[in-house]
């Protein structure tokens, strides 16, 4: 029984992660973003350019920055 519960929780977690990335992909170009990276004191502030299955591309001070999905 505990294995079934653990497997169910792992599956739900995987679906939740996919759903949150889908929400990122649905953002419109030009949307202001605040991206908090692990260990950073300040968030990155930029605008949404595009997002695909592998990365998010944001514009910060007129320069494009690609951020891997797994970062």
């Amino acid at each position: 029984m505990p294995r079934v519960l653990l497997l169910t929780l792992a599956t739900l977690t995987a679906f939740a992660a996919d759903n949150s990335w889908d929400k990122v992909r649905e953002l419109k170009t030009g949307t202001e973003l605040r991206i908090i990276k692990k260990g950073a004191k300040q968030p990155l502030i930029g605008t949404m350019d595009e997002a695909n299955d592998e990365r998010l591309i944001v514009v910060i001070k007129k320069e494009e920055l690609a951020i891997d999905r797994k970062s």
Side-chain angles (χ1 to χ4, degrees):
M1 185 67 170
R3 286 185 181 179
V4 173
L5 181 60
L6 183 61
L7 182 59
T8 303
L9 289 174
T11 303
L12 291 174
T13 302
F15 282 125
D18 287 341
N19 290 338
S20 63
W21 188 254
D22 288 341
K23 290 179 182 180
V24 170
R25 291 179 58 193
E26 291 173 1
L27 292 172
K28 294 181 181 181
T29 300
T31 302
E32 183 177 320
L33 302 176
R34 294 177 187 265
I35 301 164
I36 301 170
K37 295 182 103 178
K38 294 178 185 176
K41 293 182 180 182
Q42 298 283 333
L44 296 174
I45 300 173
T47 56
M48 170 77 166
D49 186 20
E50 66 178 282
N52 57 36
D53 291 335
E54 300 163 2
R55 66 186 55 91
L56 168 68
I57 300 176
V58 296
V59 178
I60 300 174
K61 296 182 182 177
K62 299 184 181 182
E63 292 186 22
E64 287 187 351
L65 175 67
I67 302 172
D68 288 335
R69 177 181 178 177
K70 296 181 181 181
S71 295

